[in-house]
Amino acid sequence: MLKLRSYDMEVLRQYAELTWKRRESQEFLRRCHRILQHGGNSDEEEFTWSHLNVYLDLIGNLKDYAEAITKLKALSRWMLGRKDASYWDNYQDDDREWDADDEPRRLEVEEFIRDENKYPEETYGEGLPLELRVKMGIFRLNLGPSHLAEAMYHFDFLDPDDDSPSARVFDYDDLFRDVADVLWKRAQFTAALRFYEPLQNVSEALNVSYYMSVADCYRALNRLDDAEECYQAVIRLDSDDIPARVHLAKLYEEMGQAGQAFQMVTEVMRLGRKETERKGKLEPPNPIVVPETAATSLEEPLEEASPAPASTSQERRRARLPETKPGRQLDVSHAQVAATKAAYERMVSVRGSVSLGDEDAVEEWMDAAWSMIQDFRNKKAFYPIRDKYIKFTGFKNRNMNPIVSEMEAMANRLQAENDEANELDMSNAIPKEFRDIPFDEWLDIFCEYAVRLAKRDEQESAYEILQAAVDANVFCQHDERIKLIQLTWLACALHFNDEN
């Protein structure tokens, strides 16, 4: 298209938009220069303010802000019919050429002579389109703090303090947002709010990023109640938003509201775990359907079982999976997770045959249970190195959102330092299952497996499995689960006639 229509500014504009990020934009600049050198117009296309806007965006994207200002002034002057007034190029430290009035700065320029016949007033300040004036202000601000006053002069043409029905914010909300954002990025928070706050009257401008930026300004200015309202507005817009809750938690802690801070922390942990699972970082994407929990087979008479030699059951299972001690953390790949879920499905599928005494089904169940128990025991979150009575607060792996880890630390701090937080719990944020299988069902598997080992007279192995259950924080911190382990241990001890 460029070869066919060399002077078509619309083709050049589209080309520029497609290529500037790849630094292939020099063709656009070169052709724009050629058009301007030929008087600005070709037989095919007229050079317009819109084309100038694209041209300046391109230079701005290359971060050559001084050059962008120079070109903006010269080309705007040319567009307004003052091409010959090139003496203005000598005044690059400020933009007096585009002041609203001649006084005081334009009159200080020796070459400037007011001649309405040659250069009418509208070819100066008011003749510059508002979009380009704002762009000039942004270029100025990007040159550094010393240009703030000049930039603000341009921004004030938006009249942000006008709260009338005809205020410019209703027609130029995008420019208000551009100005507010650039001031916010330069930590000019009070100035940024002058342009953020009028946007509250423009409903389509009120999105998550808007409220988060405004909240940053309020927090920086210690307007904490206003910041809280902004974060709450984000949550109303997006019920699963995590960053707003993180900021709220920190804000509430700063305000001494430990209970509300703790509530936000638990919500962040819950949503963070949900997000991680959804992305497939903690678990594979396809959850399995968990049937009703099968009762532990304590009611079966131990003495009626036919013991099988360890070499045909436990040792074979140990050869199939590496022996690991509780608390050893292995890399949990999708394949390993899938293997555990497949083992669970095998257990479910043979449950009926096991209850009928089918030895092959029992062996299948034992193999599957062994595989699952080893996976459980390799989960570091269940076996804290220092103390098993450290409260289980969730799974921590290298793929977990670091924000969630930060919130867990904050929760522990809040509970340690505040009575108000100690009265709350984190039950809504703490997982109640592993591999999509409830913890109570995991304990049933531990206990039933130990009982079946006892039936085979594998005393040491049965006790080892029960000790692993006792050492798991998700079991030992619950009275009912501990009672079930104790009853199972007692049943095994009676079978072995073990008084110890």
Side-chain angles (χ1 to χ4, degrees):
M1 288 297 296
L2 287 173
K3 289 180 180 178
L4 292 173
R5 305 181 66 176
S6 299
Y7 292 99
D8 189 328
M9 287 302 302
E10 179 60 23
V11 175
L12 286 171
R13 183 189 66 79
Q14 293 188 27
Y15 179 82
E17 290 178 353
L18 290 170
T19 61
W20 73 265
K21 289 185 178 179
R22 293 189 295 156
R23 299 287 174 164
E24 297 174 5
S25 54
Q26 293 305 314
E27 177 66 15
F28 179 80
L29 295 174
R30 183 177 65 81
R31 290 179 183 241
C32 281
H33 283 305
R34 183 191 304 172
I35 291 173
L36 295 172
Q37 289 170 359
H38 286 79
N41 298 321
S42 71
D43 293 336
E44 300 180 12
E45 187 72 21
E46 179 183 0
F47 190 82
T48 67
W49 288 111
S50 178
H51 295 135
L52 176 55
N53 203 24
V54 175
Y55 177 71
L56 295 170
D57 278 340
L58 194 57
I59 301 176
N61 287 330
L62 297 175
K63 300 187 183 304
D64 193 350
Y65 303 119
E67 175 68 8
I69 292 173
T70 298
K71 286 291 190 291
L72 192 160
K73 291 179 177 182
L75 294 176
S76 297
R77 186 187 316 131
W78 174 82
M79 293 284 289
L80 291 168
R82 293 192 293 107
K83 182 180 179 180
D84 294 337
S86 59
Y87 59 85
W88 289 111
D89 290 337
N90 299 323
Y91 299 88
Q92 295 298 324
D93 292 336
D94 59 56
D95 309 316
R96 66 183 66 194
E97 177 184 4
W98 302 103
D99 286 357
D101 301 304
D102 292 341
E103 296 180 354
R105 299 198 300 178
R106 269 205 299 270
L107 292 178
E108 295 173 357
V109 176
E110 183 177 352
E111 300 92 334
F112 173 71
I113 300 175
R114 163 63 65 206
D115 185 347
E116 284 293 325
N117 293 324
K118 186 175 182 180
Y119 298 138
E121 185 177 358
E122 59 267 21
T123 63
Y124 289 94
E126 294 296 336
L128 186 66
L130 192 54
E131 291 87 345
L132 293 185
R133 183 176 291 280
V134 167
K135 196 178 297 291
M136 192 186 303
I138 291 175
F139 290 153
R140 277 287 173 199
L141 195 58
N142 284 331
L143 286 176
S146 61
H147 295 264
L148 175 61
E150 197 73 19
M152 291 303 302
Y153 176 81
H154 294 303
F155 297 155
D156 280 340
F157 272 75
L158 289 171
D159 201 3
D161 301 321
D162 181 8
D163 57 1
S164 71
S166 60
R168 283 183 165 176
V169 68
F170 298 107
D171 294 321
Y172 298 100
D173 58 281
D174 57 330
L175 298 183
F176 272 73
R177 181 64 190 270
D178 290 343
V179 170
D181 284 348
V182 74
L183 289 168
W184 165 70
K185 290 177 182 177
R186 297 297 181 273
Q188 300 295 328
F189 301 116
T190 300
L193 286 174
R194 284 188 64 213
F195 296 89
Y196 275 135
E197 289 179 337
L199 288 169
Q200 294 174 4
N201 298 313
V202 184
S203 58
E204 57 267 28
L206 305 179
N207 53 30
V208 168
S209 65
Y210 166 80
Y211 281 116
M212 292 296 285
S213 297
V214 175
D216 280 351
C217 295
Y218 285 143
R219 288 206 67 179
L221 299 173
N222 203 35
R223 295 172 58 178
L224 303 186
D225 290 338
D226 291 327
E228 178 189 1
E229 289 183 9
C230 288
Y231 295 135
Q232 293 289 2
V234 171
I235 295 173
R236 287 194 295 270
L237 286 172
D238 181 2
S239 59
D240 290 337
D241 186 272
I242 290 178
R245 287 177 168 85
V246 171
H247 285 293
L248 263 179
K250 295 178 179 179
L251 183 65
Y252 286 140
E253 183 180 27
E254 183 180 343
M255 297 169 69
Q257 300 176 14
Q260 289 175 281
F262 197 84
Q263 180 182 349
M264 285 297 112
V265 167
T266 58
E267 289 187 21
V268 170
M269 294 168 63
R270 173 179 59 82
L271 291 170
R273 188 177 71 252
K274 176 182 175 183
E275 179 183 79
T276 304
E277 291 172 353
R278 183 173 62 249
K279 291 180 179 178
K281 293 181 178 179
L282 184 61
E283 304 288 355
N286 299 319
I288 63 173
V289 178
V290 181
E292 293 184 3
T293 303
T296 306
S297 301
L298 292 175
E299 69 277 5
E300 298 179 22
L302 295 174
E303 62 274 7
E304 293 181 5
S306 299
S311 60
T312 63
S313 57
Q314 185 82 346
E315 290 182 0
R316 185 166 66 251
R317 286 186 289 278
R318 289 181 185 274
R320 189 175 298 124
L321 288 171
E323 178 73 15
T324 56
K325 296 181 179 180
R328 178 184 175 189
Q329 187 178 28
L330 299 180
D331 290 339
V332 182
S333 64
H334 288 317
Q336 180 180 0
V337 176
T340 294
K341 293 187 175 183
Y344 179 76
E345 291 173 346
R346 285 164 50 206
M347 290 178 59
V348 173
S349 67
V350 301
R351 171 65 66 185
S353 299
V354 168
S355 63
L356 296 175
D358 185 322
E359 288 299 323
D360 290 337
V362 170
E363 188 64 25
E364 180 77 7
W365 189 96
M366 293 289 283
D367 282 349
W370 170 253
S371 174
M372 293 182 66
I373 288 172
Q374 288 300 95
D375 184 21
F376 188 96
R377 294 175 68 185
N378 287 330
K379 193 65 180 177
K380 187 177 180 180
F382 301 145
Y383 298 94
I385 296 175
R386 291 177 297 166
D387 187 351
K388 68 182 180 181
Y389 291 103
I390 294 176
K391 189 174 182 180
F392 173 72
T393 58
F395 302 110
K396 302 179 181 69
N397 66 28
R398 63 180 178 273
N399 291 323
M400 181 62 77
N401 189 328
I403 292 177
V404 177
S405 299
E406 179 187 2
M407 290 295 98
E408 289 178 352
M410 185 175 179
N412 293 331
R413 183 174 69 253
L414 286 168
Q415 285 186 308
E417 297 176 356
N418 298 277
D419 294 336
E420 184 180 358
N422 278 323
E423 295 174 359
L424 303 175
D425 64 69
M426 300 172 62
S427 58
N428 291 330
I430 299 175
K432 298 178 176 62
E433 57 189 30
F434 176 56
R435 308 283 189 247
D436 297 320
I437 302 170
F439 288 135
D440 285 337
E441 189 162 357
W442 276 103
L443 182 55
D444 286 344
I445 293 170
F446 270 81
C447 292
E448 182 171 352
Y449 187 75
V451 168
R452 292 192 178 280
L453 288 175
K455 292 179 181 180
R456 299 181 177 197
D457 286 333
E458 299 182 23
Q459 180 174 346
E460 181 179 349
S461 296
Y463 286 167
E464 177 189 344
I465 294 301
L466 291 173
Q467 186 61 53
V470 169
D471 290 340
N473 56 10
V474 292
F475 298 149
C476 73
Q477 295 173 16
H478 295 76
D479 292 340
E480 293 301 318
R481 293 171 185 170
I482 281 293
K483 288 179 182 178
L484 179 57
I485 297 172
Q486 291 172 339
L487 287 173
T488 306
W489 206 311
L490 177 60
C492 292
L494 288 172
H495 174 75
F496 297 131
N497 196 26
D498 181 7
E499 296 181 356
N500 297 323

